[in-house]
Amino acid sequence: MEMSGDVCYENVNFTSDSGKDTGLKKEKDTDLDKKEACLHSYVDRKPKELQQKNAKPSKVTEPTTPDPGPGPEPGPASSCGGPKRDISRAVAVCLALLCVLHLAALTALGILNNQFKENERDQLQSKYNNVTQERDRLQISYTNVTRQRDQLQTSYTNVTRQRDQLQTSYTNVTSERDQLQTSYTNVTRERDQLQTSYSNVTRERELLQTINTNLTRERDQLNTSNTILTRERDQLNTSYTILTRERDDLKNKLCNVTSCSASWEKFGCSCYYVSTVQKNWADSRQDCKDKGVDLVIINNRKEQDFLNNLKKKMWIGLSDTVTEGNFTWVDGTPLTTPTYWFSPPAQPDNNLYNADMVDEDCAEIYYTSPRLLDILPPNTWNDNRCDLTSNFWVCERGI
């Protein structure tokens, strides 16, 4: 919609707004262009309106036909006075005046517009300079703040690292402190225990000192007694040697003059009964006990050779019925040396090669005739089943 010159001129604000800072020169120039266009529109339209307003009464009052009246009367068209020619001249003069006024108005408006533009430009330039300076200050401040921020960031990183290091150090120190506290507690406890032990040891030392004094006295007494007893022991050893020799001599004489009962065979200082029937080991031993003796106990190589010369498979008084592998004689004496186990294979083997796996706990002198095994005397001992094997047996009675 097109705006009239008056309305445009009234709506345009020619004064500068110093309270508002747009910061943009381009926007101010746009407002000036709009204001200038509005002024030109107003200047162009105003003379036309005035011309139409002056021309309208002449068209209304101008007569179309001559009036045959007694004489002409002045009509409303003669606003400037005089006849029609004067009216035209007056109109021309008015138009000329209007043109002059128009030119003067245009000139004044141009001057005002230039002054307004210059003032507006100066204000905008001043604001632009202020904004530029403010921008430069802000740029410097931004640079300084950025630098300070970077420094603070570096400081923050360093402080964080130092804090972490201190935290680690604090943790280590706390751990060491706890360990030292524990060690201190343990050392204190040990110290108290040692103090108690020291007191006890001191008490015991005093007691031992007293005991040592007493024992020293007793030792001296015992040394005296020992000297006396040693002298007596030596005398007794001499007497024992003499008595032992005399006993052996008497025993040899007794063995020589003593004979064995019927069905008993003499060897050395013992009498041996060799059975004529065969029984298991327990029954064989019981027969010897019924005779007041026990199965034979072999003490030396001569006795072993004597039994081997009997050429019989016989039970002897040796078994491991109490503890497997620990052979003992019938008088409870453990088997040490000499031993005469048959080898190879190594004996005793506890029936290792039998399928029925029955223990072999009783010892025998092994003999076969004719010999089926290469058994070389004196190693003729063998372990066999006590209750399932029947052998001859030998009873022994000392003289």
Side-chain angles (χ1 to χ4, degrees):
M1 181 177 68
E2 186 177 2
M3 186 182 294
S4 65
D6 295 334
V7 176
C8 176
Y9 186 76
E10 293 173 357
N11 290 337
V12 174
N13 185 10
F14 291 97
T15 62
S16 63
D17 188 4
S18 60
K20 298 180 180 179
D21 186 7
T22 60
L24 296 175
K25 186 175 181 181
K26 185 176 179 180
E27 294 181 0
K28 293 296 184 178
D29 293 338
T30 304
D31 292 338
L32 290 175
D33 293 338
K34 290 181 180 180
K35 293 176 182 181
E36 185 178 358
C38 186
L39 287 173
H40 284 295
S41 176
Y42 175 76
V43 172
D44 291 338
R45 293 181 180 209
K46 198 65 176 178
K48 291 181 181 180
E49 291 178 359
L50 292 173
Q51 186 177 3
Q52 290 178 0
K53 194 178 291 185
N54 293 327
K56 186 175 180 181
S58 64
K59 290 181 180 180
V60 175
T61 59
E62 184 179 358
T64 58
T65 56
D67 188 5
E73 297 180 357
S78 60
S79 60
C80 294
K84 185 176 181 180
R85 184 179 296 172
D86 295 333
I87 293 171
S88 297
R89 188 178 297 155
V91 169
V93 173
C94 290
L95 288 174
L97 293 173
L98 287 174
C99 288
V100 172
L101 292 174
H102 182 227
L103 289 175
L106 287 176
T107 301
L109 287 174
I111 293 170
L112 292 174
N113 187 25
N114 289 332
Q115 292 179 353
F116 176 76
K117 285 183 177 181
E118 289 178 359
N119 293 332
E120 189 72 18
R121 182 192 64 191
D122 294 337
Q123 293 176 359
L124 290 174
Q125 184 66 37
S126 177
K127 291 181 179 181
Y128 174 75
N129 293 333
N130 294 332
V131 169
T132 303
Q133 293 176 359
E134 188 69 21
R135 183 201 63 190
D136 294 339
R137 281 198 306 273
L138 290 174
Q139 183 65 37
I140 294 172
S141 298
Y142 173 76
T143 303
N144 294 331
V145 169
T146 303
R147 187 182 303 108
Q148 293 176 1
R149 184 203 63 189
D150 295 338
Q151 292 175 355
L152 288 174
Q153 182 65 37
T154 303
S155 299
Y156 173 77
T157 303
N158 293 332
V159 169
T160 302
R161 187 183 304 107
Q162 292 176 0
R163 185 203 63 190
D164 295 338
Q165 292 175 354
L166 288 174
Q167 183 66 35
T168 303
S169 298
Y170 173 77
T171 302
N172 294 332
V173 168
T174 302
S175 177
E176 292 177 358
R177 184 202 63 189
D178 295 338
Q179 292 176 357
L180 288 174
Q181 183 65 36
T182 303
S183 299
Y184 174 77
T185 303
N186 294 332
V187 168
T188 303
R189 187 183 304 109
E190 291 177 359
R191 184 203 62 190
D192 296 338
Q193 293 175 354
L194 288 173
Q195 184 66 36
T196 304
S197 299
Y198 175 76
S199 300
N200 295 331
V201 166
T202 303
R203 190 181 304 108
E204 291 176 359
R205 184 198 63 186
E206 294 173 353
L207 181 61
L208 288 174
Q209 185 68 34
T210 303
I211 294 173
N212 182 58
T213 303
N214 297 328
L215 289 176
T216 301
R217 188 181 304 109
E218 293 178 359
R219 182 200 63 187
D220 295 338
Q221 294 174 358
L222 289 174
N223 280 333
T224 302
S225 300
N226 182 58
T227 302
I228 297 172
L229 290 175
T230 300
R231 189 181 305 111
E232 293 178 354
R233 182 201 64 186
D234 294 339
Q235 294 174 358
L236 289 174
N237 280 332
T238 302
S239 299
Y240 175 78
T241 303
I242 296 171
L243 291 175
T244 301
R245 188 181 304 113
E246 291 177 355
R247 182 202 65 183
D248 292 340
D249 291 339
L250 290 174
K251 189 175 181 180
N252 289 330
K253 292 178 180 180
L254 181 62
C255 289
N256 292 329
V257 299
T258 304
S259 60
C260 296
S261 303
S263 71
W264 288 74
E265 187 171 349
K266 182 181 177 182
F267 177 78
C269 291
S270 297
C271 296
Y272 298 90
Y273 171 80
V274 181
S275 69
T276 57
V277 296
Q278 294 181 348
K279 294 182 180 181
N280 60 30
W281 190 86
D283 292 340
S284 298
R285 185 181 184 190
Q286 186 61 43
D287 180 74
C288 291
K289 287 184 176 183
D290 292 341
K291 293 178 172 58
V293 293
D294 211 331
L295 288 173
V296 63
I297 297 175
I298 301 174
N299 296 311
N300 50 60
R301 169 69 181 271
K302 291 181 179 181
E303 190 174 14
Q304 173 69 15
D305 291 338
F306 166 74
L307 296 174
N308 284 332
N309 290 329
L310 296 177
K311 297 181 180 180
K312 283 187 177 182
K313 189 177 180 183
M314 302 177 295
W315 293 120
I316 60 178
L318 184 65
S319 68
D320 63 346
T321 55
V322 178
T323 302
E324 179 61 38
N326 293 332
F327 281 87
T328 58
W329 295 105
V330 290
D331 62 352
T333 303
L335 175 64
T336 55
T337 55
T339 60
Y340 303 101
W341 293 105
F342 165 66
S343 177
Q347 297 294 333
D349 60 1
N350 196 32
N351 197 28
L352 181 63
Y353 302 102
N354 280 340
D356 53 1
M357 294 300 292
V358 178
D359 287 343
E360 294 179 339
D361 295 332
C362 296
E364 63 181 1
I365 291 178
Y366 195 87
Y367 177 82
T368 58
S369 181
R371 293 188 176 182
L372 301 178
L373 296 175
D374 188 13
I375 299 177
L376 298 177
N379 298 327
T380 57
W381 291 359
N382 178 56
D383 60 337
N384 210 334
R385 303 177 219 183
C386 297
D387 54 349
L388 299 179
T389 303
S390 295
N391 282 335
F392 296 102
W393 68 91
V394 180
C395 300
E396 181 181 7
R397 175 187 290 132
I399 297 175

